[in-house]
Amino acid sequence: MQCNFVSVSPESDFSIQNLPFGVCTTSGSEAPHVTVAIGDYALNMATLAKLGLFQSIKGLDAESVFSKPYLNDYMSLGRSVWQAVRHELQDFLSNTHNALRGQISASDVSVVTPLREVQMHLPARIGDYTDFYASREHATNVGIMFRGKDNALMPNWTHLPVGYHGRASSIVVSGTPLHRPNGQRRQDQTKPPVFGPSARLDYELEMAYFVGPGNNLGTPLTLQQAEECIFGAVLMNDWSARDIQAWEYVPLGPFLGKSFGTTISPWVVTMDALEPFRVPQPTQEPEPLPYLCDESGSPAGYDIHLAVDIKPKEGGEFYPLTRSNLRYMYWSLRQQLTHHAINGCNMRPGDLCGTGTISGPAEESFGSMLELSWSGQKDITLGDSGITRKFIEDNDVIRISGYCQGDGFRVGFGQCVGEILPAKRA
Amino acid sequence: MQCNFVSVSPESDFSIQNLPFGVCTTSGSEAPHVTVAIGDYALNMATLAKLGLFQSIKGLDAESVFSKPYLNDYMSLGRSVWQAVRHELQDFLSNTHNALRGQISASDVSVVTPLREVQMHLPARIGDYTDFYASREHATNVGIMFRGKDNALMPNWTHLPVGYHGRASSIVVSGTPLHRPNGQRRQDQTKPPVFGPSARLDYELEMAYFVGPGNNLGTPLTLQQAEECIFGAVLMNDWSARDIQAWEYVPLGPFLGKSFGTTISPWVVTMDALEPFRVPQPTQEPEPLPYLCDESGSPAGYDIHLAVDIKPKEGGEFYPLTRSNLRYMYWSLRQQLTHHAINGCNMRPGDLCGTGTISGPAEESFGSMLELSWSGQKDITLGDSGITRKFIEDNDVIRISGYCQGDGFRVGFGQCVGEILPAKRA
């Protein structure tokens, strides 16, 4: 399928096979509204709805839903509506006989805005945010550093997707700078803790997915229901202050080492767009308990190329840090969500779940500086610049990107970018 | 000060000195709206606003704010507005010369509804929910059971209020029954985990407080600012499935052992009503780091009598389980909130923070069955009924209540009640 409404380069993240959703404001419109990206352009979904593009879709009040400053209402509608909207959009963009094509040109500013002119916002009002810990390589690497090789993976790790609740209020959209957090840390175990800016500030390469319809309190989800629930995915940087985290996290888990900020990319790539890129997840041994046992036949992994780059404060260029892939993830998205709801916990439209750091077997795939510098024991070399890092320094910029490679097209996620500003004086 | 608008018994939780806020529906009104309790009655704040009671208060659009189905907008306004509203209400209820008193009688159903006829709802849309672990006695008891007497308190515990993010979606209002959660547990450490209903279901006696105006991301709060931020407090039962929790919680903390449900009482008692009941908090040794060092002069503890009772499935009567007091809390509310924001984490109106289980030194003050039955090693005797418990059984009802005792009046919290229904088949 080809887009013939605007031209789309084969390297564009936003092909007609993608059509990711976001929320934006443009110079020409006051209120944030729902948008879909195609090539280098943002489509105004509220205007397309007014023009009647989605009028035949049952169960969708398109004008209302796409005029909202968040995607929650759309996310709540479920897969049949999502697929119908995708179908209408693809027809509009590829079929010159589409009824609306005569009324709208690609230079119509009420419908089409160049991406460089739009301001992207958080795609949803995130009710609850949960972060998992689902890469075996990451959990093993961290475990070796903290507890030694023989006790690297905790006994529960291969039986359930370990997860914890995160802070929703401090999730920000790509491009939002964050201040280095202050906090307590205790480097010298023989002395009292000290207070000050984190000295071991890190990124974590993650993806995150938005929940659609969800479930009622007390009613668990099956694996198949969980998969149907997932609207789409974004890139996520789960910034982590390792020294604050190390001191605070026993026994109740990460708290202030994470909650100073979490950055997500603005475009939500739908699971329908990711469908062609399914791959088997890693073999699970021991076999999980029946409620997590995946016998649906459809592979539960996704082949998504992921990259983390750094623009150090010293120079104007991005240098590679991590090259990973979502396919390394041991616990699948649907296993994570099924586990999350097995106790009856209710999911709501717009809830966000992070995968946890996505590390693979090779060193270049390690998804955090903690792993790349092996807890600060060695330097990370930035290309041939002569610049090194153990952790993030003030005014470094971290950029995550990701895409699926199709035959002549990409389904990409755009970027998840953030600069670390110096700590404020507390 | 005496209420002469309706009669209020000296034993009533809802004296004129209290005036707690909630959200209710009555038989006579369709939409949930803001209400204030006085004696055995609920005042319709939306109607009082329409009648002009709050018209002189600057910065308050009372008709709009009190017509909302949640308190978030009111919570966002800050202490000077809260105090002005309190003043107007107290004058209306106690002063027969109040301008409105001629227009409204206590039998006016548009303003006054008996409490037994109102349906209470969650008082706010809770964005983020955080739970602390701030009772030294509770942390010590649990620590002894899990790690032995010599390592009971973790090294960080006396330096910072340990806390973690909880699940906001599954917070329910008093009276909502909850199903016993299913989940993974591993009783026999030599065998794989098993799946099924929790066999060690517990309550936790807590209080929780709602954040008002909050702070911007990146901007910490001082102790004084944190105290100004707190709108009011409720009772909370942090239901806990000990077996699920024990298996899942390493290394990222409690998750499904808690997120199946958390119950709060519907009436938010304002910090202004609690002001006369301040008491010193326990001595802190070692002295906390400066940002947590409390030199304001106003005592940071509160003398709030707390009780937990159980109505066992076998009988129709409530029997005592716990008799405790918020004054035992080692870390004060303002220390908790200051710590929470010290890394720049932003608080939003309607965010909820739990204190953690409130245990005191005496056994009768232990705030959970885990402590009372010493991890199931001994029976808890229910009065002289001959009935015993180690943990909660299906169709047991747990009731938390609490009050401050003034001179001839009470400032009480009402009740936080929940029944545990049998597990659903997963």
Side-chain angles (χ1 to χ4, degrees):
Chain A
M1 193 185 303
Q2 287 287 336
C3 177
N4 53 29
F5 180 68
V6 295
S7 87
V8 180
S9 127
E11 285 78 41
S12 171
D13 275 348
F14 305 137
S15 60
I16 191 170
Q17 288 81 5
N18 190 351
L19 303 180
F21 282 74
V23 170
C24 76
T25 40
T26 63
S27 43
S29 92
E30 324 247 42
H33 60 266
V34 174
T35 177
V36 164
I38 178 73
D40 295 326
Y41 300 92
L43 298 174
N44 187 321
M45 292 290 283
T47 306
L48 286 173
K50 280 195 198 91
L51 294 170
L53 183 57
F54 311 109
Q55 66 190 4
S56 68
I57 301 173
K58 281 183 186 147
L60 173 68
D61 181 354
E63 275 196 60
S64 163
V65 160
F66 293 138
S67 299
K68 294 276 163 63
Y70 42 76
L71 279 162
N72 300 58
D73 290 12
Y74 184 59
M75 289 170 173
S76 75
L77 297 176
R79 189 156 307 280
S80 66
V81 170
W82 305 336
Q83 288 180 336
V85 168
R86 178 175 171 81
H87 177 80
E88 292 292 351
L89 276 173
Q90 287 186 328
D91 191 70
F92 170 76
L93 294 169
S94 67
N95 177 7
T96 52
H97 301 294
N98 178 284
L100 264 189
R101 282 291 286 271
Q103 298 178 44
I104 305 170
S105 82
S107 59
D108 186 337
V109 293
S110 73
V111 175
V112 187
T113 311
L115 285 179
R116 64 176 181 276
E117 293 174 15
V118 302
Q119 171 76 36
M120 299 302 296
H121 304 282
L122 271 186
R125 294 196 180 166
I126 299 165
D128 276 293
Y129 156 52
T130 300
D131 199 20
F132 287 91
Y133 189 58
S135 149
R136 182 170 193 147
E137 287 79 7
H138 172 70
T140 304
N141 287 338
V142 174
I144 292 171
M145 283 181 248
F146 280 79
R147 291 176 297 273
K149 207 154 193 169
D150 294 337
N151 297 303
L153 273 193
M154 299 306 294
N156 57 15
W157 200 92
T158 55
H159 294 281
L160 54 81
V162 171
Y164 67 104
H165 304 293
R167 180 83 191 175
S169 71
S170 53
I171 297 174
V172 298
V173 73
S174 177
T176 310
L178 292 168
H179 287 274
R180 179 180 298 270
N182 286 298
Q184 287 195 28
R185 58 187 200 276
R186 189 184 208 177
Q187 278 171 278
D188 184 339
Q189 298 302 313
T190 66
K191 293 183 184 164
V194 295
F195 178 83
S198 169
R200 290 162 66 92
L201 188 60
D202 202 354
Y203 67 89
E204 287 191 342
L205 165 61
E206 300 200 18
M207 295 193 67
Y209 48 98
F210 280 100
V211 175
N215 60 304
N216 293 326
L217 184 64
T219 306
L221 297 167
T222 63
L223 281 168
Q224 195 188 332
Q225 288 168 335
E227 181 155 297
E228 286 297 305
C229 267
I230 302 176
F231 173 72
V234 294
L235 306 168
M236 186 167 91
N237 185 342
D238 181 25
W239 306 96
S240 299
R242 301 297 179 191
D243 42 3
I244 295 173
Q245 185 184 345
W247 171 234
E248 75 177 354
Y249 91 105
V250 177
L252 299 185
F255 186 46
L256 303 191
K258 303 276 193 178
S259 63
F260 61 93
T262 307
T263 306
I264 63 172
S265 56
W267 294 103
V268 188
V269 176
T270 65
M271 299 318 284
D272 288 314
L274 294 174
E275 188 65 27
F277 304 99
R278 286 180 183 270
V279 287
Q281 73 194 105
T283 305
Q284 296 191 314
E285 172 57 41
E287 184 174 90
L289 280 159
Y291 76 97
L292 292 175
C293 217
D294 208 322
E295 292 167 335
S296 73
S298 70
Y302 293 92
D303 182 16
I304 304 177
H305 304 277
L306 297 167
V308 185
D309 300 278
I310 184 171
K311 186 160 78 174
K313 64 178 177 194
E314 297 91 339
E317 193 182 332
F318 276 98
Y319 298 98
L321 287 169
T322 303
R323 294 294 179 265
S324 191
N325 194 302
L326 188 67
R327 67 189 304 161
Y328 299 135
M329 192 64 50
Y330 185 88
W331 293 103
S332 67
L333 309 191
R334 65 193 183 208
Q335 284 178 320
Q336 293 172 23
L337 198 57
T338 301
H339 181 65
H340 200 333
I342 193 63
N343 67 343
C345 180
N346 53 327
M347 307 291 141
R348 297 181 293 192
D351 285 349
L352 188 72
C353 294
T355 58
T357 308
I358 305 161
S359 296
E363 187 172 340
E364 70 155 22
S365 68
F366 290 178
S368 66
M369 283 181 161
L370 181 72
E371 293 164 271
L372 290 168
S373 74
W374 210 251
S375 194
Q377 293 177 47
K378 60 182 181 184
D379 282 329
I380 305 164
T381 305
L382 306 187
D384 53 6
S385 66
I387 303 168
T388 62
R389 285 291 182 274
K390 289 183 164 113
F391 289 99
I392 297 171
E393 299 191 4
D394 289 346
N395 301 115
D396 285 352
V397 177
I398 301 291
R399 181 183 71 191
I400 302 178
S401 53
Y403 66 92
C404 305
Q405 184 62 55
D407 185 6
F409 68 90
R410 282 186 174 181
V411 170
F413 288 79
Q415 299 185 346
C416 174
V417 181
E419 178 178 357
I420 293 297
L421 302 179
K424 283 190 183 173
R425 288 179 65 170
Chain B
M1 193 185 305
Q2 287 287 336
C3 177
N4 53 27
F5 181 68
V6 295
S7 87
V8 180
S9 127
E11 284 79 39
S12 171
D13 276 346
F14 306 137
S15 61
I16 192 171
Q17 289 80 4
N18 190 350
L19 303 180
F21 282 75
V23 170
C24 77
T25 40
T26 63
S27 44
S29 91
E30 324 247 45
H33 60 265
V34 174
T35 178
V36 163
I38 178 73
D40 296 326
Y41 300 92
L43 298 174
N44 187 323
M45 291 291 282
T47 306
L48 286 173
K50 278 194 199 90
L51 295 170
L53 184 57
F54 311 109
Q55 64 191 2
S56 68
I57 300 174
K58 281 183 187 146
L60 173 68
D61 180 356
E63 276 196 61
S64 164
V65 160
F66 292 138
S67 299
K68 293 276 163 64
Y70 42 78
L71 279 163
N72 300 58
D73 290 11
Y74 184 59
M75 289 171 173
S76 75
L77 298 176
R79 189 156 309 279
S80 66
V81 170
W82 305 335
Q83 288 180 336
V85 168
R86 179 176 169 81
H87 176 82
E88 291 292 350
L89 276 174
Q90 287 186 329
D91 190 70
F92 171 76
L93 294 169
S94 65
N95 176 7
T96 51
H97 301 294
N98 178 285
L100 265 189
R101 281 291 286 272
Q103 297 176 44
I104 306 171
S105 82
S107 59
D108 185 338
V109 293
S110 73
V111 175
V112 186
T113 311
L115 285 178
R116 64 175 182 278
E117 292 174 17
V118 303
Q119 170 76 36
M120 298 302 295
H121 304 281
L122 272 187
R125 294 196 179 166
I126 298 163
D128 276 291
Y129 155 52
T130 300
D131 199 19
F132 286 92
Y133 190 57
S135 148
R136 183 172 192 144
E137 287 78 7
H138 172 70
T140 304
N141 287 338
V142 174
I144 291 171
M145 284 182 246
F146 281 79
R147 291 177 296 273
K149 207 154 194 169
D150 294 336
N151 298 301
L153 273 193
M154 299 307 295
N156 57 15
W157 200 92
T158 54
H159 294 280
L160 54 83
V162 171
Y164 66 104
H165 304 294
R167 181 84 190 173
S169 71
S170 53
I171 298 174
V172 298
V173 73
S174 177
T176 311
L178 291 168
H179 287 274
R180 178 181 299 271
N182 286 298
Q184 288 194 29
R185 58 188 200 274
R186 190 185 207 177
Q187 278 170 278
D188 184 339
Q189 298 301 314
T190 66
K191 293 182 183 166
V194 296
F195 178 83
S198 169
R200 290 163 67 92
L201 189 59
D202 202 355
Y203 68 89
E204 287 192 344
L205 164 61
E206 301 201 17
M207 295 194 67
Y209 48 98
F210 280 100
V211 176
N215 61 305
N216 292 325
L217 184 62
T219 306
L221 298 167
T222 63
L223 281 167
Q224 194 188 334
Q225 289 168 334
E227 181 155 297
E228 286 297 305
C229 266
I230 302 175
F231 173 73
V234 293
L235 307 168
M236 185 166 91
N237 185 342
D238 180 26
W239 305 95
S240 299
R242 301 297 180 191
D243 41 3
I244 295 173
Q245 186 184 346
W247 171 233
E248 74 177 357
Y249 91 104
V250 177
L252 300 185
F255 185 46
L256 304 190
K258 303 277 192 175
S259 63
F260 60 94
T262 307
T263 307
I264 63 173
S265 57
W267 294 104
V268 188
V269 176
T270 66
M271 299 318 286
D272 289 314
L274 296 173
E275 189 65 27
F277 304 100
R278 286 181 183 269
V279 288
Q281 73 195 105
T283 304
Q284 298 192 313
E285 173 56 42
E287 184 174 272
L289 281 159
Y291 75 98
L292 292 174
C293 218
D294 209 321
E295 292 168 336
S296 73
S298 70
Y302 292 92
D303 181 16
I304 304 177
H305 304 277
L306 297 166
V308 185
D309 300 278
I310 184 171
K311 185 160 78 174
K313 63 180 176 193
E314 297 91 339
E317 193 182 332
F318 276 97
Y319 298 97
L321 288 169
T322 303
R323 294 292 179 266
S324 191
N325 194 302
L326 187 68
R327 67 189 303 161
Y328 298 136
M329 192 64 51
Y330 186 87
W331 294 103
S332 68
L333 309 192
R334 64 192 184 209
Q335 285 178 318
Q336 293 172 22
L337 198 56
T338 301
H339 181 65
H340 200 334
I342 192 62
N343 67 344
C345 181
N346 53 327
M347 306 291 142
R348 298 181 293 192
D351 286 348
L352 187 72
C353 293
T355 58
T357 308
I358 305 160
S359 296
E363 187 172 341
E364 70 156 23
S365 68
F366 291 178
S368 66
M369 285 182 160
L370 181 72
E371 294 164 89
L372 290 168
S373 74
W374 209 251
S375 194
Q377 292 176 48
K378 60 181 182 183
D379 282 330
I380 305 164
T381 306
L382 306 188
D384 53 5
S385 65
I387 303 169
T388 62
R389 284 290 183 274
K390 290 186 163 107
F391 290 98
I392 297 172
E393 299 192 5
D394 289 346
N395 301 114
D396 284 352
V397 176
I398 301 290
R399 181 183 72 190
I400 302 178
S401 54
Y403 66 92
C404 305
Q405 185 62 56
D407 185 7
F409 67 92
R410 281 186 174 181
V411 171
F413 288 80
Q415 298 185 347
C416 174
V417 181
E419 178 177 356
I420 293 296
L421 303 179
K424 285 191 183 172
R425 289 180 64 172

